[in-house]
Amino acid sequence: MPDRSRQDAHRAPHRDPFTGPLEPGADVDLASFEDLDLTGQDATGVTLVDCALVRCRLDGVRMGHARLVDTSLEQVTAGELHTPDAAWQGVELLDCRLGAVQAYGSTWTRVTLRGGKTDYLNLRGAKITDLRIDGAVLGDLDLGDATVRRLTITGSRIGRLALHRSTLTEVDLRGADLSGIEGVDGLAGATISEQQLLELAPAMADHLRITVT
């Protein structure tokens, strides 16, 4: 039987330790960020390709217009992370503890959010293709004005889901524990469970101005 650990190690790219600091517009390839405090750094327009950020502190890091490709963020923490109008492709967020993530206007392609907790994920106006949220806790997920194609949520709890003027295609919400939805008209194109339908009935009745007695 083949040694799978050896095969995985052989496939894993070699990454050099990153010593920093991050700088606006920098191009960083095959770098390993481990146990670094990057608080407050300006990484506007940075490009990270095949990088791994592990147990880093990103509080207040500015990553507007950044480009992240085939990059993972594992057990990173940030009270607030600014990444508007960024492009994320093949990105994994694993067991991260994040406060407010300002990712409005971004383009997310093949992004996985697994485990961890995020207080507020702002994806207003974003273009999202193939997003998976698995085993995570989100206080607020704002998809207002976003275009979402293929979103799957499994085993996750979401305090508030905002869908004002969103466009959804192949969106599966059945694995989400939803406390509330704003903008129920934005649910068009989503798949929900019968139980979720019952729970959403009051919001739908209110939206349609139906009086229930």
Side-chain angles (χ1 to χ4, degrees), residues 113-125:
L113 174 59
R114 179 170 290 119
K117 181 179 181 182
T118 302
D119 294 333
Y120 176 45
L121 178 54
N122 179 0
L123 286 166
R124 287 197 303 267

Side-chain angles (χ1 to χ4, degrees), residues 37-41 57-61:
D37 186 350
L38 304 175
T39 297
Q41 293 193 16
R57 185 174 178 183
L58 306 179
D59 195 26
V61 171

Side-chain angles (χ1 to χ4, degrees), residues 43-123:
T44 302
V46 71
T47 296
L48 302 179
V49 179
D50 244 325
C51 293
L53 289 79
V54 182
R55 297 181 302 276
C56 292
R57 185 174 178 183
L58 306 179
D59 195 26
V61 171
R62 298 181 295 284
M63 297 178 68
H65 300 278
R67 180 170 172 260
L68 278 65
V69 179
D70 297 331
T71 289
S72 62
L73 291 79
E74 183 174 354
Q75 298 180 35
V76 304
T77 60
E80 189 163 13
L81 179 63
H82 301 269
T83 176
D85 302 307
W88 290 24
Q89 180 178 332
V91 175
E92 292 184 315
L93 295 99
L94 309 173
D95 297 318
C96 298
R97 179 61 181 94
L98 306 172
V101 179
Q102 303 292 350
Y104 51 86
S106 295
T107 300
W108 280 21
T109 306
R110 292 186 292 103
V111 175
T112 298
L113 174 59
R114 179 170 290 119
K117 181 179 181 182
T118 302
D119 294 333
Y120 176 45
L121 178 54
N122 179 0
L123 286 166

